[in-house]
Amino acid sequence: MGEVGAEHSHTHHMDPAVEYSSSKLGMWLFLGTEILLFGGLFAAYAIFRAKYPEMFFEQHLELNKKLGAINTCILIFSSLTMAMGVSAIQRGKQKATAILILITILCGLAFGVVKYFEYSAKFHHHIYPDTSIFFSLYFMMTGLHMLHVFVGLVILATLLVLTMKGKFNAQYSTPVEIGGLYWHLVDLIWIYLFPLLYLIA
């Protein structure tokens, strides 16, 4: 009976080093597919911007640069707190990790609130995804990014709960690191979107 129990334990608990390597590889592969997805949208943007430069310039003036800049600062700060959270759990500081993840979540929610007001202003002025090619790309790219923010918030909320339950420590922090990588992707994509859409020269 003891042997069966030992075998059962062995088959359900992966070696930490193997789990870490496989999880990191899996996440990097996933991030690669995400980059390809947004890369296609960036390519479409470049093609249409080259074809209709005057329209893109004129219509980008309808975007609120201040709100875009605020959201950029929010996400950059959230990426910093997430990185600090990963560092904290690697040193076994569970309470600090929980606080930093919570701050990251609050930043993500703040980003969503700002984006809500920005979208509302567009709809109030009768600007919709089918208004023009520029706004079709704007809503598609920022909407897809916002979807990634929501997914990230779910991941972070799960990590927060598990951290508070003491599931992670200095010896086992892989999920927090993987979640951090995803959130950094969310931040990186917005850093590309902001100048492309809001700061057309």
Side-chain angles (χ1 to χ4, degrees):
M1 187 71 179
E3 293 180 358
V4 174
E7 182 179 352
H8 177 79
S9 176
H10 176 71
T11 56
H12 285 77
H13 294 281
M14 187 182 297
D15 179 76
V18 175
E19 180 184 8
Y20 177 81
S21 298
S22 59
S23 297
K24 272 292 185 69
L25 176 60
M27 176 52 72
W28 280 113
L29 289 174
F30 171 75
L31 295 182
T33 62
E34 292 295 289
I35 291 173
L36 288 175
L37 171 62
F38 278 94
L41 292 174
F42 290 149
Y45 172 91
I47 291 171
F48 285 112
R49 180 179 171 180
K51 190 172 183 180
Y52 307 107
E54 293 182 1
M55 179 189 72
F56 270 57
F57 177 78
E58 291 175 0
Q59 295 189 352
H60 101 283
L61 297 175
E62 299 289 337
L63 302 183
N64 192 317
K65 292 182 178 63
K66 290 183 179 179
L67 292 183
I70 289 172
N71 261 348
T72 301
C73 292
I74 288 174
L75 278 191
I76 290 175
F77 179 73
S78 74
S79 202
L80 172 63
T81 57
M82 190 66 227
M84 292 171 63
V86 171
S87 177
I89 197 60
Q90 290 174 338
R91 289 176 284 139
K93 297 183 177 181
Q94 296 175 336
K95 185 176 181 180
T97 301
I99 292 173
L100 289 163
I101 292 177
L102 176 60
I103 294 173
T104 306
I105 291 173
L106 293 176
C107 288
L109 292 173
F111 180 91
V113 170
V114 173
K115 184 54 65 178
Y116 167 79
F117 283 114
E118 193 174 355
Y119 279 169
S120 296
K122 297 294 176 294
F123 297 151
H124 178 73
H125 291 94
H126 306 290
I127 297 175
Y128 303 101
D130 60 351
T131 299
S132 67
I133 294 175
F134 174 80
F135 283 110
S136 292
L137 287 170
Y138 166 78
F139 281 108
M140 186 181 303
M141 296 167 83
T142 59
L144 183 60
H145 176 263
M146 195 66 233
L147 177 61
H148 282 71
V149 171
F150 287 142
V151 171
L153 289 174
V154 172
I155 293 172
L156 292 177
T158 303
L159 292 175
L160 176 60
V161 172
L162 293 177
T163 300
M164 294 174 68
K165 289 183 177 181
K167 298 295 184 181
F168 309 126
N169 50 51
Q171 289 71 43
Y172 179 64
S173 59
T174 300
V176 179
E177 295 180 42
I178 299 302
L181 278 176
Y182 180 86
W183 193 254
H184 294 323
L185 171 70
V186 171
D187 181 26
L188 181 63
I189 291 172
W190 180 258
I191 288 175
Y192 276 96
L193 289 178
F194 176 61
L196 279 179
L197 297 171
Y198 294 78
L199 304 178
I200 297 176

